[in-house]
Amino acid sequence: MQGNLITQKAVPVACAPERESSGDAADLWARVALPAASPEPPAEPVAAPGLRLALSLLEEGVLTSRANRSCGSYVARAVPSAGAVYPYEFAVLAVENGVPTAFRIDADRRTCARSAAGAPVTAALDASALDVPDGGALVVTLTRPWLSMRKYGDRGYLYTQLDAGHAAGNLVLAAAGRGAAGALRLRFPRESLSGLLEAGENCREIHSAVLVPAAPADESWTRWTVHDDTDRERRGPTWRSWLESTCWDSLTGWSAPSGAPALKVAPAPLAHLSADRRPDGGDSGLGDPSQWPELIGTRVSSKAFTGEPVSAAAVWQAVSALSTPLETDLPDPSPLSATLVLRSTTEPGQDAVYRLRTGERRPGRLPSTDEVARACMQQRALAGAAAVLLLHVPRTSLAGAGSAADAENLRELAFRCGALGQLLYLGANRAAVGVTAIGGFDTPLWRTLAGLPEDDEILYALLLGCPDDSGIKFDRLATAHAQNER
């Protein structure tokens, strides 16, 4: 499926009113006019302890960056996003006054809508093989692919999954930083929970669920309010843009769960790295979890790279963060591999291509500055990167080859890439190295430059180097520069 989705023929939307096409100005006005907004119920305080905890974790892990770097009107969040569109949202399930309750989260307005309580919530949890920890919460990430696909076309679906991987992975890290080891679930039946949260009818897809045990909440939740929205009749009909509906319908078959069996949640690295890949003998993982909140709060994306060489030891320290164990229900091992291209370091003899899974070092000609720019779809601001990390899989993995127990669908592989990307961001912050991630790149060229097998597909590329804060992040502009579109 190729091409711009918004040029496709419109399809009827069941929840939208039928309109007769007369072709006159009145018909056009009827199409562009907005329905009246329903009055919002009175605001209530946030009472549920689990909801308070979830909101404070969302503030820390996704919504707020203390670094406060800006580009125009854009202010950085705690996680990066292709084009800064953040194509996902959240719901929280927590116990309120002794009753299991579901809340829809409006991150921009800092409000929670109580959407269901009691038996329907319990039934959805039971059907999904999930629960709400006593005093804790279940934080559900829902993707809204349209937000990314309207800018990046079909590839925007991949970017949606990568962005959600950054966010969900960072929530687990934020919880661990508070001494509450959150467990991330990707393999569970979604139908009942999706119905409870009205996801499908609103062009959303449940991505993952993070079970957060009871832990102290900071004061950031005090910015939030709750209002009751359990009366569906009061809400009125659901309105959907035909553009988003067309995009959503085009994803039929792509977004279905893999059907892979559920696995036990256990802490493990999302990528296996060889122990001898670090010539500096650096530590394994991201280090002390109590330091993670500071790394999360001060993380930034580099706008550009100066082209100056960086310390190989610092790059290896950043890369070592990839071995940080996270509690997920994904299979171990994974077909995902990581390759590091070190091309401009201050220490002699370190520049080479490294296979991080096996520890193999491949000397030889390394990419020139012009080749890096071309491989990054002519994003010249990234040409001075000193190192590039490529996350790649055999093409057969994307087709679901292998046994059902080991198969990972695109969503799970993209989650690994997004979560690993977030770990590299935090590792680079710790090592004082600039970093940025891109989803738009020339796969055949990078495959050649890094000497990857011909049947490997690259899912994600992350660049490290000396940051140039005077640069411009072109992916935040309306044009999809990351795909070489002008």
Side-chain angles (χ1 to χ4, degrees):
M1 182 174 64
Q2 298 292 334
N4 190 329
L5 291 176
I6 66 173
T7 62
Q8 299 181 24
K9 184 179 179 181
V11 296
V13 181
C15 53
E18 294 185 4
R19 297 168 173 144
E20 295 182 3
S21 178
S22 60
D24 58 17
D27 176 63
L28 175 60
W29 180 251
R31 292 178 61 186
V32 302
L34 289 174
S38 301
E40 192 171 83
E44 307 171 15
V46 178
L51 180 58
R52 292 180 177 182
L53 171 61
L55 295 177
S56 62
L57 287 176
L58 286 171
E59 286 281 0
E60 177 184 323
V62 181
L63 303 177
T64 306
S65 171
R66 296 198 306 275
N68 199 30
R69 298 289 182 88
S70 63
C71 178
S73 61
Y74 169 78
V75 178
R77 294 195 186 189
V79 287
S81 170
V85 296
Y86 304 99
Y88 47 78
E89 55 195 45
F90 302 94
V92 173
L93 279 66
V95 175
E96 184 183 47
N97 298 321
V99 179
T101 306
F103 301 88
R104 293 193 311 272
I105 304 301
D106 187 330
D108 294 326
R109 293 181 174 87
R110 295 302 196 269
T111 62
C112 312
R114 185 186 300 109
S115 58
V121 179
T122 300
L125 287 169
D126 291 344
S128 303
L130 299 171
D131 60 8
V132 176
D134 185 24
L138 184 72
V139 182
V140 180
T141 302
L142 301 100
T143 57
R144 187 181 176 190
W146 158 249
L147 294 179
S148 187
M149 295 179 74
R150 66 183 176 184
K151 181 171 184 176
Y152 295 108
D154 291 345
R155 194 165 177 83
Y157 184 72
L158 171 62
Y159 299 166
T160 297
Q161 302 303 316
L162 292 170
D163 287 355
H166 276 273
N170 215 36
L171 279 175
V172 175
L173 293 171
R178 295 177 183 229
L184 186 137
R185 295 282 305 277
L186 282 154
R187 295 190 167 196
F188 59 90
R190 288 168 164 77
E191 292 77 11
S192 183
L193 189 58
S194 180
L196 177 76
L197 300 177
E198 304 173 23
E201 64 187 82
N202 290 301
C203 302
R204 271 70 162 172
E205 174 192 9
I206 291 180
H207 172 270
S208 58
V210 178
L211 289 83
V212 183
D218 61 29
E219 293 300 308
S220 60
W221 64 267
T222 57
R223 302 176 56 194
W224 294 72
T225 58
V226 172
H227 68 266
D228 188 80
D229 199 26
T230 54
D231 185 354
R232 293 196 178 196
E233 292 185 3
R234 189 199 62 80
R235 292 185 219 161
T238 300
W239 294 82
R240 281 199 296 176
S241 160
W242 67 267
L243 293 170
E244 184 166 3
S245 296
T246 301
C247 169
W248 179 253
D249 292 342
S250 76
L251 294 173
T252 301
W254 286 16
S255 57
S258 65
L263 299 175
K264 182 179 179 180
V265 176
L270 294 179
H272 285 275
L273 310 180
S274 171
D276 62 357
R277 74 202 180 287
R278 300 188 303 275
D280 67 324
D283 65 333
S284 177
L286 198 54
D288 182 1
S290 67
Q291 305 300 315
W292 296 354
E294 176 65 21
L295 294 176
I296 290 171
T298 56
R299 177 218 66 86
V300 294
S301 295
S302 298
K303 301 173 183 177
F305 298 106
T306 65
E308 299 175 14
V310 300
S311 164
V315 172
W316 284 114
Q317 184 187 21
V319 169
S320 73
L322 300 180
S323 59
T324 304
L326 296 180
E327 288 207 32
T328 74
D329 60 354
L330 292 181
D332 185 30
S334 167
L336 186 71
S337 295
T339 294
L340 179 68
V341 180
L342 264 179
R343 56 177 296 271
S344 181
T345 59
T346 55
E347 297 91 331
Q350 293 299 312
D351 294 357
V353 175
Y354 297 85
R355 301 281 186 264
L356 299 186
R357 182 194 286 260
T358 63
E360 177 189 3
R361 182 180 187 276
R362 295 171 59 92
R365 192 183 76 84
L366 295 167
S368 66
T369 298
D370 287 341
E371 286 174 326
V372 172
R374 188 155 59 91
C376 294
M377 307 305 282
Q378 298 298 353
Q379 297 186 77
R380 299 295 308 182
L382 306 181
V388 182
L389 180 78
L390 303 173
L391 299 175
H392 51 98
V393 295
R395 192 173 295 118
T396 53
S397 299
L398 299 175
S403 67
D406 295 332
E408 288 190 81
N409 63 9
L410 176 60
R411 176 172 50 205
E412 294 176 350
L413 288 169
F415 165 77
R416 285 186 188 268
C417 291
L420 287 168
Q422 188 63 18
L423 287 170
L424 187 65
Y425 268 95
L426 301 183
N429 186 7
R430 180 181 61 166
V433 176
V435 60
T436 196
I438 59 172
F441 41 78
D442 186 332
T443 294
L445 180 54
W446 269 127
R447 193 186 291 130
T448 298
L449 295 174
L452 301 180
E454 283 297 317
D455 66 344
D456 268 22
E457 291 291 344
I458 301 172
L459 300 182
Y460 212 11
L462 298 106
L463 297 90
L464 301 106
C466 184
D468 177 5
D469 290 333
S470 67
I472 297 175
K473 291 282 287 185
F474 285 104
D475 66 328
R476 292 174 186 161
L477 304 180
T479 308
H481 281 72
Q483 294 181 190
N484 204 27
E485 297 176 10
R486 298 291 188 270

